[in-house]
Amino acid sequence: MKRKIPLSFYVAAIVLVIILLVRGPKIGTVRGAEMEKMVIHGVTYVQNPFLDFSYADKGRYLGRATAGGITFRVYAVKGDPDHRYLYRLWSWEGAFYERKD
């Protein structure tokens, strides 16, 4: 006799897949005592509080970066197709980073 798998198992599996898809891929790490450096796909970005950007300049979601147990969301900056600048968001706190050449 075959065992039936409960519907709650299927629902839990679907919810887990959705959560993983929404979080996006891990694309890098955030480093430094003040989280002033971010390494994305091997490219280093340095936090720059003097950039003339605001939250309104937050562009497309790129993925997530981690620092220990903390997960940050990383976004492109509108009008910057070369990704010279990135925006990092954690809870309500965000910061802009500039690519280190």
Side-chain angles (χ1 to χ4, degrees):
M1 183 171 176
K2 285 188 175 181
R3 272 186 158 184
K4 289 189 176 184
I5 298 174
L7 179 61
S8 60
F9 176 80
Y10 289 111
V11 171
I14 291 170
V15 168
L16 179 62
V17 168
I18 290 171
I19 288 172
L20 291 174
L21 290 174
V22 168
R23 285 185 65 188
K26 180 181 176 193
I27 60 172
T29 58
V30 179
R31 300 179 180 165
E34 298 294 323
M35 300 186 189
E36 68 274 6
K37 291 184 182 177
M38 186 165 53
V39 179
I40 306 294
H41 299 302
V43 178
T44 300
Y45 292 81
V46 178
Q47 187 174 350
N48 187 343
F50 303 108
L51 294 171
D52 194 24
F53 294 128
S54 72
Y55 181 80
D57 295 305
K58 180 183 81 157
R60 184 175 58 91
Y61 176 70
L62 300 175
R64 58 191 170 90
T66 59
I70 302 172
T71 299
F72 302 93
R73 295 181 303 269
V74 179
Y75 297 88
V77 173
K78 290 179 184 174
D80 178 31
D82 298 326
H83 298 297
R84 179 165 177 76
Y85 305 100
L86 296 177
Y87 182 66
R88 171 194 54 85
L89 184 62
W90 176 55
S91 187
W92 55 269
E93 180 185 344
F96 286 93
Y97 288 74
E98 185 174 9
R99 185 172 58 221
K100 183 179 176 182
D101 293 324

XYZ file of all heavy atoms in Angstrom:
822
model
N 0.829 -1.187 0.000
C 0.000 0.000 0.000
C 0.873 1.249 0.000
O 1.822 1.354 0.747
C -0.898 -0.034 1.243
C -1.831 1.094 1.307
S -2.966 0.776 2.666
C -3.850 2.246 2.604
N 0.541 2.167 -0.861
C 1.305 3.405 -0.972
C 0.936 4.364 0.156
O -0.222 4.466 0.535
C 1.028 4.086 -2.304
C 1.694 3.440 -3.472
C 1.494 4.321 -4.690
C 2.255 3.788 -5.865
N 2.102 4.622 -7.037
N 1.969 5.081 0.625
C 1.746 6.119 1.628
C 1.460 7.436 0.938
O 2.132 7.795 -0.019
C 2.991 6.325 2.468
C 3.085 5.467 3.630
C 4.284 5.916 4.415
N 4.139 5.475 5.770
C 4.961 5.757 6.728
N 6.013 6.500 6.485
N 4.770 5.300 7.939
N 0.503 8.146 1.415
C 0.197 9.457 0.867
C 1.011 10.519 1.605
O 1.107 10.494 2.819
C -1.293 9.768 0.992
C -2.143 8.949 0.071
C -3.550 9.453 0.076
C -4.367 8.681 -0.937
N -5.713 9.208 -1.040
N 1.578 11.413 0.832
C 2.334 12.512 1.421
C 1.340 13.622 1.752
O 0.541 14.019 0.905
C 3.414 13.010 0.445
C 4.405 11.884 0.152
C 4.141 14.223 1.009
C 5.433 12.216 -0.898
N 1.410 14.124 2.984
C 0.455 15.163 3.386
C 0.592 16.436 2.550
O 1.682 16.810 2.116
C 0.806 15.449 4.837
C 1.850 14.483 5.234
C 2.330 13.775 4.034
N -0.522 17.085 2.343
C -0.561 18.333 1.593
C 0.331 19.390 2.235
O 0.973 20.176 1.534
C -2.007 18.843 1.495
C -2.206 20.157 0.755
C -1.753 20.024 -0.698
C -3.650 20.588 0.825
N 0.428 19.393 3.548
C 1.252 20.387 4.251
C 2.724 20.262 3.858
O 3.458 21.250 3.820
C 1.098 20.259 5.760
O 1.510 18.972 6.178
N 3.185 19.073 3.527
C 4.558 18.879 3.068
C 4.781 19.600 1.744
O 5.789 20.276 1.550
C 4.870 17.385 2.915
C 6.233 17.114 2.363
C 7.350 17.177 3.185
C 6.412 16.821 1.021
C 8.613 16.951 2.681
C 7.671 16.587 0.506
C 8.774 16.647 1.337
N 3.839 19.455 0.818
C 3.949 20.139 -0.478
C 3.916 21.655 -0.311
O 4.677 22.376 -0.959
C 2.829 19.696 -1.424
C 2.995 18.288 -1.916
C 2.114 17.290 -1.509
C 4.025 17.939 -2.777
C 2.254 15.988 -1.961
C 4.169 16.645 -3.234
C 3.286 15.670 -2.819
O 3.434 14.383 -3.267
N 3.047 22.137 0.545
C 2.938 23.576 0.789
C 4.244 24.105 1.382
O 4.767 25.141 0.942
C 1.737 23.894 1.707
C 1.754 25.354 2.147
C 0.434 23.544 1.015
N 4.803 23.396 2.348
C 6.060 23.814 2.966
C 7.197 23.838 1.934
O 8.019 24.761 1.918
C 6.418 22.898 4.125
N 7.249 22.852 1.070
C 8.286 22.798 0.037
C 8.150 23.965 -0.938
O 9.149 24.598 -1.317
C 8.221 21.465 -0.702
N 6.948 24.291 -1.331
C 6.714 25.405 -2.252
C 7.098 26.729 -1.599
O 7.744 27.573 -2.222
C 5.247 25.416 -2.738
C 5.011 24.208 -3.658
C 4.904 26.714 -3.440
C 3.564 23.968 -4.009
N 6.739 26.914 -0.347
C 7.089 28.141 0.377
C 8.609 28.272 0.482
O 9.165 29.355 0.269
C 6.425 28.167 1.772
C 7.011 29.266 2.636
C 4.923 28.322 1.639
N 9.309 27.189 0.758
C 10.762 27.214 0.848
C 11.397 27.613 -0.483
O 12.299 28.441 -0.536
C 11.291 25.853 1.298
C 12.805 25.731 1.420
C 13.334 26.701 2.464
C 13.192 24.308 1.763
N 10.914 27.061 -1.571
C 11.439 27.402 -2.893
C 11.201 28.876 -3.203
O 12.078 29.573 -3.702
C 10.819 26.492 -3.987
C 11.121 27.022 -5.374
C 11.317 25.067 -3.829
N 10.032 29.384 -2.878
C 9.712 30.792 -3.118
C 10.636 31.694 -2.304
O 11.168 32.687 -2.818
C 8.228 31.086 -2.819
C 7.356 30.415 -3.875
C 7.963 32.584 -2.754
C 5.875 30.448 -3.574
N 10.862 31.351 -1.051
C 11.758 32.153 -0.197
C 13.160 32.184 -0.785
O 13.796 33.232 -0.866
C 11.771 31.609 1.243
C 10.445 31.925 1.936
C 12.936 32.195 2.038
C 10.272 31.267 3.279
N 13.654 31.045 -1.224
C 14.994 30.993 -1.809
C 15.089 31.804 -3.088
O 16.090 32.470 -3.351
C 15.408 29.539 -2.049
C 15.655 28.711 -0.789
C 15.915 27.262 -1.153
C 16.801 29.278 0.022
N 14.046 31.786 -3.897
C 14.051 32.553 -5.141
C 13.975 34.047 -4.884
O 14.622 34.840 -5.563
C 12.905 32.110 -6.043
C 13.041 30.720 -6.654
C 11.756 30.358 -7.402
C 14.240 30.629 -7.558
N 13.193 34.459 -3.906
C 13.027 35.875 -3.597
C 14.312 36.453 -3.017
O 14.694 37.572 -3.331
C 11.842 36.093 -2.630
C 11.824 37.499 -2.079
C 10.537 35.789 -3.340
N 15.000 35.705 -2.184
C 16.240 36.191 -1.585
C 17.309 36.411 -2.632
O 18.176 37.247 -2.477
C 16.755 35.202 -0.549
C 15.976 35.245 0.734
C 16.555 34.363 1.761
N 17.867 34.825 2.159
C 18.678 34.156 2.941
N 18.326 32.990 3.400
N 19.851 34.624 3.263
N 17.270 35.669 -3.694
C 18.245 35.823 -4.759
C 19.553 35.132 -4.441
O 19.779 34.647 -3.338
N 20.428 35.121 -5.413
C 21.700 34.428 -5.233
C 22.652 35.218 -4.336
O 22.574 36.442 -4.254
C 22.249 34.357 -6.659
C 21.685 35.567 -7.319
C 20.302 35.718 -6.735
N 23.562 34.502 -3.688
C 24.616 35.167 -2.928
C 25.670 35.604 -3.939
O 26.229 34.781 -4.659
C 25.231 34.250 -1.888
C 26.314 34.939 -1.108
C 26.956 34.049 -0.089
C 28.103 34.822 0.564
N 28.963 33.949 1.333
N 25.921 36.911 -4.000
C 26.849 37.431 -5.005
C 28.131 37.981 -4.389
O 29.048 38.337 -5.122
C 26.178 38.517 -5.874
C 25.715 39.687 -5.017
C 25.035 37.925 -6.680
C 25.218 40.877 -5.815
N 28.196 38.082 -3.053
C 29.416 38.632 -2.471
C 29.404 38.683 -0.966
O 28.537 38.104 -0.307
N 30.395 39.404 -0.432
C 30.548 39.555 1.010
C 30.791 41.019 1.359
O 31.280 41.789 0.534
C 31.738 38.722 1.534
O 32.927 39.143 0.859
C 31.526 37.243 1.323
N 30.462 41.359 2.584
C 30.722 42.693 3.116
C 31.783 42.528 4.187
O 31.702 41.615 5.012
C 29.438 43.325 3.699
C 29.720 44.699 4.271
C 28.358 43.397 2.631
N 32.803 43.397 4.156
C 33.957 43.244 5.051
C 34.290 44.553 5.745
O 33.867 45.611 5.331
C 35.170 42.785 4.250
C 34.973 41.474 3.553
C 36.188 41.104 2.759
N 35.968 39.810 2.098
C 36.705 39.360 1.136
N 37.725 40.051 0.712
N 36.443 38.192 0.596
N 35.111 44.427 6.771
C 35.603 45.593 7.495
C 34.841 45.829 8.776
O 33.690 45.428 8.916
N 35.513 46.492 9.712
C 34.909 46.764 11.018
C 33.642 47.601 10.903
O 32.701 47.431 11.667
C 35.920 47.459 11.917
N 33.622 48.507 9.961
C 32.458 49.368 9.738
C 31.713 48.980 8.465
O 30.962 49.774 7.919
C 32.896 50.832 9.661
C 33.544 51.344 10.928
C 32.584 51.394 12.100
O 31.402 51.715 11.891
O 33.023 51.112 13.225
N 31.975 47.768 7.989
C 31.362 47.247 6.765
C 31.601 48.192 5.598
O 30.718 48.454 4.791
C 29.885 46.965 6.981
C 29.675 45.947 8.058
S 27.976 45.471 8.221
C 28.066 44.508 9.717
N 32.830 48.705 5.529
C 33.165 49.703 4.518
C 33.592 49.114 3.182
O 33.733 49.852 2.208
C 34.256 50.650 5.040
C 35.607 50.001 5.231
C 35.798 49.308 6.579
O 34.855 49.219 7.367
O 36.906 48.835 6.820
N 33.780 47.804 3.102
C 34.156 47.180 1.832
C 33.158 46.087 1.475
O 32.656 45.382 2.341
C 35.551 46.571 1.922
C 36.641 47.586 2.038
C 37.999 46.940 2.022
C 39.058 48.018 2.197
N 40.394 47.453 2.264
N 32.911 45.981 0.189
C 32.019 44.949 -0.309
C 32.698 44.328 -1.532
O 33.180 45.042 -2.407
C 30.665 45.576 -0.684
C 29.620 44.598 -1.067
S 27.934 45.294 -1.073
C 28.085 46.738 -2.097
N 32.773 43.002 -1.551
C 33.384 42.293 -2.675
C 32.274 41.539 -3.397
O 31.638 40.655 -2.834
C 34.489 41.328 -2.203
C 35.089 40.594 -3.394
C 35.566 42.084 -1.438
N 32.045 41.929 -4.646
C 30.995 41.341 -5.469
C 31.646 40.714 -6.688
O 32.285 41.426 -7.478
C 29.949 42.396 -5.903
C 29.369 43.136 -4.699
C 28.860 41.768 -6.758
C 28.537 42.295 -3.767
N 31.502 39.412 -6.834
C 32.090 38.689 -7.965
C 33.566 39.035 -8.144
O 34.038 39.247 -9.263
C 31.333 38.959 -9.262
C 29.900 38.534 -9.233
N 29.505 37.235 -8.983
C 28.765 39.240 -9.413
C 28.195 37.160 -9.019
N 27.717 38.364 -9.269
N 34.310 39.149 -7.044
C 35.739 39.424 -7.097
C 36.117 40.882 -7.278
O 37.286 41.226 -7.301
N 35.139 41.770 -7.400
C 35.389 43.205 -7.563
C 35.138 43.890 -6.226
O 34.105 43.679 -5.595
C 34.481 43.808 -8.662
C 34.715 45.305 -8.794
C 34.703 43.105 -9.980
N 36.096 44.731 -5.796
C 35.982 45.416 -4.508
C 35.306 46.773 -4.676
O 35.662 47.552 -5.560
C 37.373 45.608 -3.871
O 37.965 44.316 -3.681
C 37.271 46.310 -2.532
N 34.347 47.046 -3.811
C 33.646 48.322 -3.739
C 33.886 48.894 -2.356
O 33.915 48.162 -1.366
C 32.147 48.138 -3.955
C 31.776 47.720 -5.355
C 31.869 46.388 -5.757
C 31.334 48.649 -6.282
C 31.534 46.001 -7.041
C 30.995 48.273 -7.571
C 31.095 46.943 -7.941
O 30.766 46.571 -9.217
N 34.071 50.217 -2.276
C 34.331 50.886 -1.006
C 33.183 51.842 -0.713
O 32.734 52.586 -1.598
C 35.672 51.659 -1.065
C 35.931 52.393 0.232
C 36.820 50.714 -1.380
N 32.721 51.825 0.529
C 31.612 52.701 0.920
C 32.031 54.160 0.771
O 33.127 54.551 1.161
C 31.218 52.413 2.365
C 29.983 53.144 2.803
C 29.543 52.737 4.192
O 30.039 51.779 4.763
N 28.615 53.472 4.739
N 31.140 54.962 0.182
C 31.411 56.370 -0.035
C 30.183 57.180 0.377
O 29.221 57.290 -0.386
C 31.764 56.638 -1.502
C 32.212 58.053 -1.742
O 31.992 58.940 -0.918
N 32.848 58.285 -2.876
N 30.209 57.769 1.573
C 29.044 58.526 2.055
C 28.887 59.889 1.395
O 27.907 60.583 1.637
C 29.315 58.675 3.550
C 30.804 58.623 3.666
C 31.274 57.696 2.577
N 29.849 60.284 0.554
C 29.812 61.614 -0.054
C 29.242 61.609 -1.471
O 29.243 62.630 -2.145
C 31.223 62.221 -0.055
C 31.800 62.299 1.326
C 32.828 61.455 1.703
C 31.291 63.181 2.268
C 33.352 61.505 2.986
C 31.809 63.240 3.552
C 32.848 62.395 3.915
N 28.750 60.476 -1.921
C 28.145 60.405 -3.247
C 26.815 61.156 -3.239
O 26.122 61.207 -2.229
C 27.932 58.954 -3.660
C 29.215 58.146 -3.878
C 28.880 56.664 -4.062
C 29.976 58.665 -5.070
N 26.459 61.707 -4.360
C 25.231 62.494 -4.469
C 24.059 61.606 -4.902
O 23.434 61.844 -5.925
C 25.440 63.643 -5.450
C 24.350 64.685 -5.362
O 23.710 64.782 -4.296
O 24.132 65.390 -6.361
N 23.808 60.548 -4.121
C 22.712 59.626 -4.393
C 21.776 59.617 -3.194
O 22.161 59.953 -2.074
C 23.215 58.192 -4.612
C 24.053 57.996 -5.841
C 25.295 57.395 -5.757
C 23.598 58.390 -7.089
C 26.068 57.188 -6.880
C 24.363 58.186 -8.223
C 25.608 57.588 -8.121
N 20.550 59.179 -3.447
C 19.598 58.976 -2.360
C 18.912 57.625 -2.577
O 19.137 56.963 -3.593
C 18.551 60.095 -2.337
O 17.664 59.942 -3.435
N 18.068 57.250 -1.645
C 17.347 55.981 -1.749
C 16.574 55.896 -3.067
O 16.378 54.814 -3.607
C 16.403 55.834 -0.555
C 15.630 54.539 -0.550
C 16.227 53.374 -0.097
C 14.318 54.490 -1.001
C 15.536 52.172 -0.095
C 13.614 53.300 -1.005
C 14.229 52.145 -0.543
O 13.545 50.973 -0.556
N 16.178 57.035 -3.602
C 15.428 57.066 -4.866
C 16.268 56.568 -6.043
O 15.728 56.199 -7.078
C 14.926 58.471 -5.146
N 17.581 56.537 -5.879
C 18.477 56.073 -6.942
C 18.674 54.558 -6.917
O 19.398 54.021 -7.755
C 19.835 56.768 -6.830
C 19.720 58.252 -7.063
O 19.191 58.641 -8.119
O 20.137 59.029 -6.184
N 18.059 53.896 -5.962
C 18.168 52.437 -5.869
C 17.561 51.815 -7.114
O 16.432 52.088 -7.479
C 17.440 51.934 -4.621
C 17.494 50.431 -4.446
C 16.696 50.007 -3.240
C 15.254 49.957 -3.655
N 14.397 49.135 -2.887
N 18.347 50.972 -7.765
C 17.897 50.344 -9.002
C 17.499 48.891 -8.813
O 16.963 48.502 -7.774
N 17.822 48.087 -9.813
C 17.436 46.670 -9.862
C 18.152 45.856 -8.791
O 19.325 46.048 -8.518
C 17.786 46.140 -11.255
C 17.384 44.718 -11.525
C 17.670 44.324 -12.962
N 19.073 44.466 -13.319
C 19.980 43.494 -13.197
N 19.643 42.328 -12.726
N 21.240 43.705 -13.554
N 17.436 44.912 -8.205
C 18.000 44.006 -7.210
C 18.978 43.054 -7.888
O 18.656 42.429 -8.897
C 16.870 43.218 -6.533
C 17.329 42.186 -5.547
C 17.897 42.562 -4.337
C 17.197 40.828 -5.817
C 18.319 41.623 -3.420
C 17.608 39.882 -4.899
C 18.168 40.277 -3.711
O 18.594 39.340 -2.806
N 20.195 42.951 -7.344
C 21.223 42.102 -7.937
C 21.410 40.778 -7.202
O 21.788 39.781 -7.805
C 22.564 42.845 -7.966
C 22.583 44.152 -8.754
C 23.932 44.840 -8.592
C 22.273 43.880 -10.215
N 21.187 40.782 -5.901
C 21.397 39.570 -5.101
C 21.707 39.963 -3.671
O 21.437 41.078 -3.245
N 22.324 39.031 -2.946
C 22.612 39.305 -1.543
C 24.092 39.129 -1.260
O 24.794 38.376 -1.942
C 21.782 38.415 -0.635
C 21.970 36.945 -0.865
C 20.921 36.117 -0.118
N 21.000 34.746 -0.549
C 21.756 33.823 0.006
N 22.511 34.139 1.038
N 21.780 32.596 -0.447
N 24.550 39.851 -0.256
C 25.919 39.749 0.230
C 25.839 39.487 1.729
O 24.905 39.934 2.389
C 26.696 41.024 -0.057
N 26.805 38.773 2.257
C 26.761 38.417 3.665
C 28.002 38.902 4.402
O 29.060 39.092 3.811
C 26.641 36.890 3.848
O 27.772 36.265 3.230
C 25.363 36.357 3.242
N 27.836 39.090 5.700
C 28.929 39.399 6.625
C 28.628 38.609 7.882
O 27.797 39.012 8.686
C 29.007 40.880 6.918
N 29.245 37.454 8.007
C 28.919 36.579 9.126
C 27.483 36.110 8.993
O 27.091 35.582 7.958
N 26.677 36.362 10.016
C 25.283 35.943 9.989
C 24.333 36.996 9.453
O 23.122 36.810 9.471
N 24.858 38.118 8.978
C 24.021 39.209 8.480
C 23.909 39.108 6.967
O 24.906 38.899 6.278
C 24.604 40.582 8.870
C 24.735 40.697 10.385
C 23.749 41.710 8.316
C 25.481 41.934 10.835
N 22.708 39.274 6.460
C 22.481 39.255 5.016
C 22.040 40.641 4.554
O 21.137 41.229 5.125
C 21.404 38.218 4.644
O 21.861 36.924 5.051
C 21.148 38.205 3.149
N 22.696 41.140 3.535
C 22.397 42.441 2.944
C 21.805 42.237 1.561
O 22.167 41.293 0.862
C 23.677 43.275 2.794
C 24.404 43.516 4.079
C 25.415 42.679 4.483
C 24.073 44.596 4.884
C 26.103 42.891 5.673
C 24.743 44.827 6.070
C 25.763 43.968 6.468
N 20.944 43.138 1.155
C 20.440 43.148 -0.220
C 21.281 44.134 -1.011
O 21.577 45.229 -0.530
C 18.958 43.530 -0.222
C 18.097 42.479 0.473
C 16.613 42.833 0.455
N 16.296 44.120 1.048
C 15.983 44.320 2.323
N 15.952 43.319 3.155
N 15.694 45.518 2.764
N 21.662 43.751 -2.214
C 22.523 44.594 -3.051
C 21.745 44.987 -4.303
O 21.148 44.145 -4.968
C 23.827 43.855 -3.426
C 24.700 44.732 -4.305
C 24.577 43.416 -2.182
N 21.784 46.292 -4.605
C 21.054 46.839 -5.741
C 22.003 47.612 -6.655
O 22.997 48.185 -6.200
C 19.965 47.811 -5.264
C 18.905 47.174 -4.424
C 19.057 47.057 -3.049
C 17.738 46.688 -5.004
C 18.074 46.465 -2.274
C 16.740 46.102 -4.233
C 16.923 45.985 -2.865
O 15.968 45.401 -2.099
N 21.653 47.659 -7.920
C 22.336 48.544 -8.859
C 21.873 49.966 -8.561
O 20.919 50.181 -7.815
C 21.980 48.160 -10.293
N 22.557 50.930 -9.153
C 22.157 52.336 -9.037
C 21.598 52.755 -10.392
O 22.188 52.476 -11.436
C 23.360 53.213 -8.630
C 23.000 54.686 -8.666
C 23.837 52.820 -7.232
N 20.443 53.396 -10.371
C 19.808 53.837 -11.618
C 20.754 54.718 -12.421
O 21.446 55.574 -11.862
C 18.527 54.616 -11.316
C 17.417 53.773 -10.769
C 16.199 54.632 -10.469
C 15.100 53.831 -9.819
N 13.979 54.678 -9.401
N 20.772 54.505 -13.731
C 21.602 55.310 -14.608
C 23.073 54.926 -14.609
O 23.905 55.659 -15.117
N 23.406 53.775 -14.024
C 24.795 53.310 -13.966
C 24.876 51.890 -14.532
O 24.941 50.919 -13.786
C 25.293 53.347 -12.522
C 26.716 52.840 -12.368
O 27.513 53.008 -13.307
O 27.022 52.272 -11.310
N 24.881 51.755 -15.865
C 24.862 50.419 -16.471
C 26.157 49.628 -16.264
O 26.158 48.407 -16.365
C 24.636 50.705 -17.962
C 25.166 52.077 -18.167
C 24.907 52.813 -16.878
N 27.255 50.318 -15.932
C 28.544 49.635 -15.751
C 28.774 49.175 -14.316
O 29.832 48.633 -14.000
C 29.683 50.561 -16.175
C 29.590 50.930 -17.640
O 29.139 50.092 -18.444
O 29.953 52.072 -17.974
N 27.819 49.407 -13.453
C 27.916 49.030 -12.034
C 29.153 49.615 -11.363
O 29.856 48.938 -10.627
C 27.870 47.508 -11.849
C 26.599 46.896 -12.311
N 25.384 47.179 -11.746
C 26.347 46.016 -13.305
C 24.438 46.505 -12.372
N 24.999 45.797 -13.322
N 29.403 50.886 -11.615
C 30.489 51.568 -10.908
C 30.059 51.837 -9.463
O 30.882 51.915 -8.567
C 30.839 52.872 -11.618
C 31.934 53.647 -10.946
C 32.523 54.733 -11.828
N 33.517 55.498 -11.122
C 34.753 55.073 -10.857
N 35.124 53.883 -11.227
N 35.601 55.847 -10.206
N 28.757 51.951 -9.244
C 28.201 52.203 -7.919
C 27.188 51.113 -7.582
O 26.474 50.623 -8.461
C 27.503 53.566 -7.874
C 28.401 54.691 -8.292
C 28.323 55.224 -9.573
C 29.335 55.213 -7.413
C 29.156 56.252 -9.972
C 30.182 56.242 -7.802
C 30.088 56.752 -9.082
O 30.921 57.756 -9.475
N 27.122 50.758 -6.302
C 26.132 49.795 -5.808
C 25.501 50.347 -4.541
O 26.092 51.190 -3.853
C 26.774 48.440 -5.518
C 27.356 47.680 -6.698
C 28.017 46.389 -6.212
C 26.300 47.382 -7.729
N 24.319 49.835 -4.244
C 23.618 50.225 -3.024
C 23.396 48.977 -2.182
O 22.905 47.965 -2.679
C 22.277 50.876 -3.374
C 21.492 51.347 -2.178
C 21.953 52.381 -1.376
C 20.288 50.760 -1.850
C 21.235 52.820 -0.282
C 19.552 51.193 -0.755
C 20.034 52.224 0.028
O 19.324 52.650 1.115
N 23.795 49.053 -0.907
C 23.624 47.931 0.027
C 22.548 48.306 1.030
O 22.563 49.403 1.585
C 24.945 47.662 0.759
C 24.770 46.666 1.895
C 25.942 46.621 2.831
N 26.389 47.862 3.424
C 25.896 48.426 4.519
N 24.853 47.918 5.128
N 26.413 49.531 5.005
N 21.618 47.382 1.280
C 20.521 47.651 2.203
C 20.413 46.523 3.219
O 20.447 45.346 2.877
C 19.207 47.776 1.423
C 17.965 48.151 2.214
C 18.119 49.533 2.850
C 16.746 48.136 1.307
N 20.308 46.910 4.477
C 20.105 45.974 5.571
C 19.031 46.566 6.470
O 19.224 47.644 7.038
C 21.395 45.755 6.346
C 21.259 44.889 7.542
C 20.750 43.623 7.594
C 21.644 45.216 8.875
N 20.807 43.141 8.877
C 21.353 44.104 9.698
C 22.216 46.323 9.465
C 21.609 44.068 11.054
C 22.466 46.296 10.827
C 22.169 45.181 11.599
N 17.899 45.878 6.537
C 16.757 46.381 7.287
C 16.395 47.769 6.739
O 15.993 47.890 5.608
C 17.068 46.402 8.779
O 15.932 46.727 9.526
N 16.591 48.819 7.494
C 16.289 50.178 7.020
C 17.551 50.956 6.682
O 17.501 52.064 6.187
C 15.507 50.934 8.093
C 16.224 50.956 9.406
C 16.085 50.044 10.414
C 17.212 51.889 9.851
N 16.933 50.352 11.456
C 17.641 51.487 11.133
C 17.794 53.017 9.296
C 18.601 52.166 11.866
C 18.763 53.698 10.030
C 19.145 53.273 11.303
N 18.709 50.394 6.989
C 19.982 51.097 6.817
C 20.628 50.774 5.467
O 20.852 49.607 5.143
C 20.933 50.688 7.940
C 22.275 51.346 7.861
C 23.225 50.823 8.920
O 22.790 50.197 9.891
O 24.425 51.035 8.753
N 20.917 51.794 4.706
C 21.535 51.585 3.403
C 22.803 52.398 3.242
O 23.035 53.362 3.972
N 23.637 51.990 2.274
C 24.875 52.707 1.995
C 25.238 52.517 0.529
O 24.959 51.473 -0.061
C 26.000 52.195 2.885
N 25.862 53.544 -0.027
C 26.319 53.474 -1.405
C 27.808 53.142 -1.426
O 28.573 53.610 -0.584
C 26.056 54.795 -2.132
C 24.612 54.991 -2.465
C 23.781 55.685 -1.609
C 24.083 54.459 -3.622
C 22.447 55.856 -1.909
C 22.732 54.612 -3.935
C 21.917 55.315 -3.064
N 28.183 52.350 -2.407
C 29.567 51.911 -2.580
C 30.044 52.283 -3.975
O 29.270 52.269 -4.924
C 29.670 50.401 -2.391
C 29.501 49.947 -0.967
C 28.257 49.941 -0.360
C 30.581 49.514 -0.223
C 28.093 49.534 0.941
C 30.438 49.104 1.100
C 29.185 49.119 1.669
O 29.040 48.707 2.972
N 31.349 52.567 -4.065
C 31.959 52.911 -5.333
C 33.020 51.867 -5.665
O 33.799 51.469 -4.783
C 32.580 54.292 -5.239
C 33.153 54.802 -6.531
C 33.633 56.251 -6.425
O 33.668 56.806 -5.300
O 33.962 56.825 -7.467
N 33.059 51.449 -6.925
C 34.026 50.448 -7.347
C 35.435 50.988 -7.182
O 35.737 52.121 -7.558
C 33.778 50.046 -8.797
C 34.665 48.910 -9.270
C 34.283 48.388 -10.627
N 34.326 49.461 -11.622
C 33.423 49.628 -12.577
N 32.397 48.814 -12.678
N 33.528 50.613 -13.428
N 36.295 50.173 -6.591
C 37.700 50.540 -6.392
C 38.468 50.094 -7.635
O 38.524 48.904 -7.930
C 38.227 49.853 -5.144
C 39.629 50.207 -4.792
C 40.033 49.491 -3.512
C 41.482 49.747 -3.177
N 41.867 49.008 -1.975
N 39.041 51.040 -8.348
C 39.785 50.711 -9.580
C 41.249 50.486 -9.305
O 41.829 50.920 -8.406
C 39.616 51.818 -10.619
C 38.170 51.872 -11.104
O 37.535 50.821 -11.220
O 37.691 52.992 -11.348
